[in-house]
């Protein structure tokens, strides 16, 4: 597993020691979140089949959601490898009440294209280019939409976690 770091990278990297994660530095982190995605894609082993774009500030994300996405990625990979005549989806997105959430799964066939995306637009550009490639997996957990960007978000997550 790769963890892409930018702001406060040394402090975060120290906390990753012994966790089985490899820290990857993004020197362009100030240009936007897409540059972290691009750094992770570039650093991943060449035989990577799927990329998981998980936000570091989603403490309420449930393992069941990730398991659902993993199962769908495995089904898609089987279809891709065996040339099955199914509608192949190379972008997997959890969806809650019609809104896209995280984590995203992106197939390696899009790896080079992700590297060319505009950081100001982000992964939205990829989804706009390939709407037919998106598979929305409906989930019943709104935590796929919730991350922590403000002190109010932090307080909301504390309440959600029962603290």
């Amino acid at each position: 597993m790769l963890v892409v770091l930018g702001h406060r990278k040394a402090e975060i990297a120290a906390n990753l020691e012994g966790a089985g994660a490899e820290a990857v530095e993004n020197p362009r982190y100030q240009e936007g979140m897409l540059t972290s995605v691009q750094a992770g894609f570039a650093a991943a082993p060449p035989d990577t089949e799927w990329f998981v774009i998980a936000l570091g500030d989603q403490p309420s994300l449930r393992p069941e959601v990730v398991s659902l996405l993993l199962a769908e990625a495995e089904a898609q990979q089987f279809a891709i490898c065996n040339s099955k005549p199914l509608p192949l989806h190379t972008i997997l997105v959890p969806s809650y009440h019609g809104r896209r959430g995280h984590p995203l799964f992106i197939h390696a066939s899009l790896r080079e294209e992700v590297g060319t995306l505009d950081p100001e637009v982000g992964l939205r550009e990829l989804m706009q280019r390939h709407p037919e490639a998106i598979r929305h997996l409906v989930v019943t957990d709104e935590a796929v939409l919730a991350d922590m960007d403000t002190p109010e978000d932090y307080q909301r997550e504390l309440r959600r976690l029962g603290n």
Side-chain angles (χ1 to χ4, degrees):
M1 169 177 42
L2 301 177
V3 177
V4 181
L5 304 175
H7 180 67
R8 298 173 67 179
K9 64 183 178 252
E11 177 184 344
I12 296 168
N15 287 305
L16 290 175
E17 288 181 22
E22 179 184 340
V24 173
E25 181 181 353
N26 174 16
R28 299 175 50 212
Y29 73 91
Q30 291 181 319
E31 295 176 41
M33 189 165 43
L34 179 64
T35 65
S36 290
V37 172
Q38 291 168 328
F41 275 50
D47 62 344
T48 300
E49 294 176 353
W50 287 90
F51 294 90
V52 179
I53 313 304
L55 305 178
D57 60 353
Q58 279 189 298
S60 296
L61 185 63
R62 297 173 49 140
E64 295 83 5
V65 171
V66 177
S67 294
L68 174 71
L69 289 158
L70 284 169
E72 182 61 27
E74 287 177 11
Q76 292 297 321
Q77 191 64 33
F78 177 81
I80 291 166
C81 290
N82 293 290
S83 302
K84 296 289 183 187
L86 300 171
L88 299 178
H89 298 100
T90 53
I91 304 170
L92 308 178
V93 183
S95 178
Y96 178 78
H97 287 235
R99 294 179 56 204
R100 292 178 179 158
H102 283 87
L104 302 176
F105 281 51
I106 299 176
H107 189 264
S109 61
L110 297 169
R111 181 182 200 150
E112 287 184 28
E113 187 172 356
V114 168
T116 69
L117 297 174
D118 181 348
E120 289 192 27
V121 181
L123 287 173
R124 263 190 339 266
E125 183 178 358
L126 186 70
M127 293 187 198
Q128 290 166 349
R129 289 181 187 178
H130 303 286
E132 76 291 345
I134 301 170
R135 169 111 161 96
H136 291 93
L137 291 125
V138 176
V139 298
T140 58
D141 188 356
E142 70 178 323
V144 299
L145 306 177
D147 62 349
M148 296 185 299
D149 297 325
T150 67
E152 293 79 19
D153 293 341
Y154 177 71
Q155 291 302 318
R156 177 200 66 227
E157 290 303 305
L158 286 177
R159 286 190 301 276
R160 184 191 313 261
L161 295 170
N163 295 328

XYZ file of all heavy atoms in Angstrom, residues 50-93:
340
model
N -5.538 -2.314 -10.088
C -6.522 -1.315 -9.664
C -5.858 -0.354 -8.690
O -5.050 -0.761 -7.863
C -7.717 -1.974 -8.962
C -8.619 -2.705 -9.883
C -8.520 -4.018 -10.247
C -9.743 -2.183 -10.569
N -9.519 -4.337 -11.115
C -10.294 -3.227 -11.331
C -10.360 -0.924 -10.610
C -11.431 -3.060 -12.131
C -11.488 -0.760 -11.405
C -12.008 -1.813 -12.156
N -6.253 0.893 -8.785
C -5.808 1.922 -7.859
C -6.998 2.284 -6.978
O -8.107 2.476 -7.475
C -5.328 3.161 -8.615
C -4.095 2.909 -9.425
C -4.177 2.481 -10.734
C -2.835 3.078 -8.862
C -3.031 2.230 -11.484
C -1.691 2.833 -9.597
C -1.791 2.410 -10.917
N -6.760 2.365 -5.681
C -7.793 2.753 -4.737
C -7.464 4.161 -4.257
O -6.396 4.392 -3.693
C -7.860 1.787 -3.530
C -8.932 2.229 -2.548
C -8.092 0.363 -4.009
N -8.368 5.079 -4.514
C -8.186 6.467 -4.095
C -9.011 6.642 -2.821
O -10.231 6.837 -2.862
C -8.670 7.469 -5.168
C -8.155 7.099 -6.563
C -8.302 8.883 -4.764
C -6.670 6.964 -6.676
N -8.341 6.530 -1.703
C -8.999 6.641 -0.399
C -8.520 7.917 0.283
O -7.321 8.216 0.270
C -8.670 5.429 0.466
N -9.434 8.644 0.835
C -9.096 9.875 1.539
C -8.605 9.534 2.937
O -9.121 8.622 3.580
C -10.303 10.796 1.618
C -10.958 11.152 0.279
C -12.186 12.030 0.511
C -9.974 11.815 -0.655
N -7.647 10.280 3.408
C -7.099 10.049 4.741
C -7.954 10.617 5.852
O -7.679 10.374 7.027
N -8.997 11.351 5.495
C -9.811 11.999 6.531
C -11.259 11.516 6.493
O -12.197 12.279 6.600
C -9.740 13.522 6.394
C -10.234 14.047 5.055
O -10.513 13.238 4.146
O -10.347 15.274 4.917
N -11.424 10.199 6.365
C -12.739 9.570 6.392
C -12.776 8.483 7.477
O -12.861 7.296 7.174
C -13.071 8.941 5.041
C -13.575 9.896 4.008
C -14.070 9.141 2.789
O -13.316 8.455 2.131
N -15.344 9.292 2.502
N -12.749 8.859 8.741
C -12.667 7.846 9.794
C -13.904 6.968 9.919
O -13.827 5.888 10.491
C -12.459 8.678 11.068
C -13.086 9.989 10.752
C -12.806 10.213 9.293
N -15.028 7.391 9.366
C -16.254 6.606 9.497
C -16.483 5.645 8.338
O -17.489 4.943 8.311
C -17.464 7.541 9.622
O -17.374 8.298 10.807
N -15.570 5.612 7.387
C -15.711 4.702 6.258
C -15.696 3.271 6.784
O -14.790 2.869 7.511
C -14.572 4.915 5.263
C -14.665 4.109 3.981
C -15.899 4.495 3.191
C -13.415 4.312 3.157
N -16.693 2.507 6.393
C -16.847 1.149 6.925
C -16.170 0.111 6.032
O -16.187 0.236 4.813
C -18.321 0.843 7.089
C -18.974 1.772 8.112
C -20.441 1.578 8.159
N -20.701 0.153 8.266
C -21.632 -0.366 9.010
N -22.407 0.409 9.723
N -21.831 -1.661 9.050
N -15.605 -0.906 6.629
C -14.960 -1.970 5.846
C -15.898 -2.621 4.838
O -15.467 -3.055 3.778
C -14.507 -2.979 6.906
C -14.434 -2.210 8.173
C -15.468 -1.119 8.076
N -17.194 -2.675 5.145
C -18.153 -3.294 4.232
C -18.212 -2.570 2.891
O -18.406 -3.197 1.849
C -19.563 -3.331 4.864
C -19.679 -4.189 6.091
C -19.225 -3.493 7.387
O -18.890 -2.293 7.371
O -19.203 -4.175 8.424
N -18.058 -1.254 2.922
C -18.062 -0.476 1.683
C -16.836 -0.838 0.846
O -16.937 -1.068 -0.364
C -18.110 1.043 1.981
C -17.896 1.857 0.716
C -19.427 1.418 2.647
N -15.690 -0.895 1.485
C -14.466 -1.251 0.773
C -14.577 -2.683 0.233
O -14.194 -2.952 -0.918
C -13.231 -1.083 1.678
C -11.963 -1.522 0.971
C -13.116 0.366 2.148
N -15.134 -3.585 0.999
C -15.311 -4.976 0.552
C -16.214 -5.054 -0.672
O -15.942 -5.827 -1.606
C -15.884 -5.838 1.677
O -14.958 -5.957 2.725
N -17.276 -4.264 -0.694
C -18.179 -4.222 -1.842
C -17.428 -3.771 -3.095
O -17.547 -4.379 -4.169
C -19.348 -3.275 -1.554
C -20.303 -3.019 -2.713
C -21.145 -4.257 -2.995
C -21.208 -1.832 -2.391
N -16.639 -2.717 -2.964
C -15.864 -2.211 -4.093
C -14.809 -3.225 -4.539
O -14.587 -3.423 -5.742
C -15.219 -0.877 -3.734
C -16.209 0.292 -3.628
C -15.631 1.404 -2.778
C -16.599 0.801 -4.988
N -14.142 -3.866 -3.595
C -13.147 -4.888 -3.934
C -13.773 -6.047 -4.702
O -13.201 -6.538 -5.684
C -12.463 -5.417 -2.670
C -11.426 -4.522 -2.039
C -11.024 -5.048 -0.659
C -10.200 -4.388 -2.935
N -14.951 -6.490 -4.267
C -15.631 -7.589 -4.957
C -15.983 -7.187 -6.388
O -15.822 -7.988 -7.323
C -16.884 -8.000 -4.185
N -16.441 -5.971 -6.579
C -16.769 -5.509 -7.926
C -15.502 -5.385 -8.774
O -15.511 -5.727 -9.960
C -17.510 -4.183 -7.875
C -17.934 -3.663 -9.237
C -18.894 -4.583 -9.988
O -19.637 -5.356 -9.357
O -18.898 -4.528 -11.241
N -14.407 -4.898 -8.188
C -13.142 -4.798 -8.926
C -12.683 -6.187 -9.371
O -12.224 -6.359 -10.506
C -12.071 -4.114 -8.076
N -12.830 -7.187 -8.509
C -12.453 -8.555 -8.875
C -13.312 -9.071 -10.020
O -12.808 -9.700 -10.952
C -12.571 -9.481 -7.665
C -11.481 -9.276 -6.642
C -11.642 -10.157 -5.404
O -12.478 -11.089 -5.420
O -10.929 -9.899 -4.430
N -14.618 -8.784 -9.979
C -15.516 -9.216 -11.052
C -15.148 -8.529 -12.367
O -15.128 -9.161 -13.429
C -16.966 -8.911 -10.677
N -14.839 -7.251 -12.304
C -14.448 -6.521 -13.510
C -13.114 -7.036 -14.033
O -12.947 -7.178 -15.247
C -14.374 -5.014 -13.227
C -15.721 -4.372 -12.951
C -16.674 -4.447 -14.125
O -16.288 -4.297 -15.267
N -17.946 -4.676 -13.843
N -12.179 -7.303 -13.144
C -10.867 -7.798 -13.570
C -11.010 -9.148 -14.247
O -10.365 -9.416 -15.260
C -9.898 -7.883 -12.385
C -8.471 -8.129 -12.792
C -7.884 -6.991 -13.609
O -8.218 -5.828 -13.419
N -7.019 -7.334 -14.548
N -11.872 -10.007 -13.721
C -12.121 -11.315 -14.339
C -12.658 -11.115 -15.750
O -12.212 -11.766 -16.696
C -13.115 -12.125 -13.496
C -13.459 -13.445 -14.117
C -12.605 -14.537 -13.983
C -14.627 -13.604 -14.851
C -12.910 -15.751 -14.563
C -14.930 -14.822 -15.439
C -14.088 -15.899 -15.306
N -13.604 -10.191 -15.906
C -14.182 -9.929 -17.221
C -13.140 -9.363 -18.177
O -13.073 -9.749 -19.353
C -15.367 -8.974 -17.090
N -12.305 -8.461 -17.694
C -11.260 -7.866 -18.530
C -10.269 -8.942 -18.980
O -9.930 -9.030 -20.164
C -10.541 -6.725 -17.774
C -11.493 -5.530 -17.590
C -9.267 -6.301 -18.497
C -11.008 -4.495 -16.578
N -9.804 -9.761 -18.047
C -8.798 -10.782 -18.361
C -9.339 -11.874 -19.280
O -8.588 -12.488 -20.033
C -8.271 -11.417 -17.079
S -7.245 -10.297 -16.119
N -10.625 -12.135 -19.204
C -11.211 -13.217 -19.990
C -12.018 -12.717 -21.179
O -12.768 -13.481 -21.781
C -12.073 -14.100 -19.085
C -11.214 -14.838 -18.078
O -10.464 -15.728 -18.447
N -11.284 -14.440 -16.832
N -11.886 -11.439 -21.505
C -12.572 -10.833 -22.653
C -14.061 -11.154 -22.665
O -14.627 -11.498 -23.699
C -11.914 -11.285 -23.964
O -10.552 -10.943 -23.975
N -14.677 -11.086 -21.520
C -16.114 -11.332 -21.411
C -16.877 -10.184 -22.064
O -16.498 -9.019 -21.917
C -16.545 -11.461 -19.948
C -15.938 -12.642 -19.230
C -16.531 -13.936 -19.730
C -15.973 -15.099 -18.945
N -16.359 -16.365 -19.463
N -17.963 -10.482 -22.757
C -18.742 -9.421 -23.408
C -19.685 -8.725 -22.430
O -20.887 -8.674 -22.625
C -19.516 -10.192 -24.480
C -19.702 -11.556 -23.883
C -18.459 -11.812 -23.066
N -19.126 -8.208 -21.371
C -19.904 -7.481 -20.375
C -19.611 -5.997 -20.529
O -18.567 -5.619 -21.044
C -19.489 -7.912 -18.962
C -19.657 -9.377 -18.599
C -18.998 -9.644 -17.261
C -21.120 -9.740 -18.561
N -20.497 -5.144 -20.038
C -20.099 -3.727 -19.995
C -18.992 -3.589 -18.965
O -19.191 -3.841 -17.785
C -21.377 -3.006 -19.557
C -22.265 -4.054 -18.999
C -21.825 -5.375 -19.551
N -17.795 -3.299 -19.420
C -16.668 -3.217 -18.510
C -16.605 -1.837 -17.882
O -16.734 -0.826 -18.575
C -15.364 -3.531 -19.239
C -15.302 -4.926 -19.846
C -13.985 -5.111 -20.581
C -15.466 -5.984 -18.783
N -16.413 -1.831 -16.607
C -16.325 -0.580 -15.865
C -14.921 -0.457 -15.298
O -14.459 -1.361 -14.602
C -17.375 -0.543 -14.755
C -18.764 -0.595 -15.290
N -19.502 -1.740 -15.309
C -19.525 0.371 -15.850
C -20.681 -1.488 -15.851
N -20.725 -0.217 -16.193
N -14.265 0.652 -15.609
C -12.901 0.861 -15.157
C -12.809 1.929 -14.077
O -11.726 2.241 -13.609
C -11.993 1.223 -16.346
O -12.561 2.324 -17.048
C -11.832 0.037 -17.292
N -13.964 2.470 -13.697
C -14.036 3.427 -12.588
C -15.185 2.970 -11.697
O -16.333 2.898 -12.137
C -14.290 4.867 -13.077
C -13.216 5.299 -14.076
C -14.367 5.832 -11.887
C -13.526 6.615 -14.789
N -14.874 2.633 -10.459
C -15.887 2.181 -9.504
C -16.051 3.240 -8.428
O -15.058 3.700 -7.858
C -15.478 0.848 -8.876
C -15.099 -0.266 -9.859
C -14.660 -1.509 -9.096
C -16.250 -0.573 -10.792
N -17.306 3.604 -8.160
C -17.587 4.712 -7.247
C -18.720 4.324 -6.302
O -19.804 3.942 -6.762
C -18.026 5.973 -8.031
C -18.239 7.146 -7.106
C -17.039 6.326 -9.122
